[in-house]
Amino acid sequence: MGWEPRTTFEYDSAGRVAASLREVEWDEEQRDLMVALQEFRDTKICPLCGGLKKFCGDSATERLIEPTVVRCYVASRIEAERDKESAENVKVQQPSGRTWGARMKSPI
Ligand SMILES: [Zn+2]
């Protein structure tokens, strides 16, 4: 499951745990890398298409790309359920406070 911080123990002369030291999960270098990654995403990545702003912000790009569509069957199924609920005029309290998701059905 990936890296987990380790804990090392120090023992006294009777063999009892006298101290423990846990590795830091995010050291300074890792934090700097994550901050740099976020800055890169915030400044260089287009929030609309996920591409590089340098590429998708150039009008010449329009001639170079061919849009593709991939259906997400999870999103489609959720939308169908929302439509069904709406068509059935189901009343729900604070509907904007709900989030929709999906899970696998239990095997029969
Ligand atoms: Zn874009």
Side-chain angles (χ1 to χ4, degrees), residues 45-52 56:
I45 301 295
C46 174
L48 298 177
C49 70
L52 289 171
C56 72

Side-chain angles (χ1 to χ4, degrees), residues 27-106:
D27 64 21
E28 192 170 330
E29 181 182 353
Q30 291 169 322
R31 284 192 301 268
D32 288 349
L33 287 171
M34 290 298 108
V35 168
L37 176 60
Q38 190 61 50
E39 186 175 315
F40 171 79
R41 288 175 173 160
D42 290 346
T43 61
K44 305 290 185 190
I45 301 295
C46 174
L48 298 177
C49 70
L52 289 171
K53 286 181 179 177
K54 183 178 180 181
F55 176 73
C56 72
D58 183 342
S59 62
T61 298
E62 189 173 2
R63 293 178 309 221
L64 303 174
I65 62 158
E66 181 177 357
T68 59
V69 176
V70 176
R71 172 161 303 276
C72 171
Y73 287 96
V74 173
S76 295
R77 179 67 181 82
I78 290 170
E79 185 178 355
E81 194 67 19
R82 285 180 167 166
D83 290 349
K84 180 180 159 197
E85 193 177 272
S86 179
E88 293 172 354
N89 206 18
V90 175
K91 295 292 180 205
V92 182
Q93 289 185 338
Q94 294 90 28
S96 63
R98 298 190 312 160
T99 58
W100 289 77
R103 65 177 178 212
M104 297 299 289
K105 291 180 178 177
S106 302

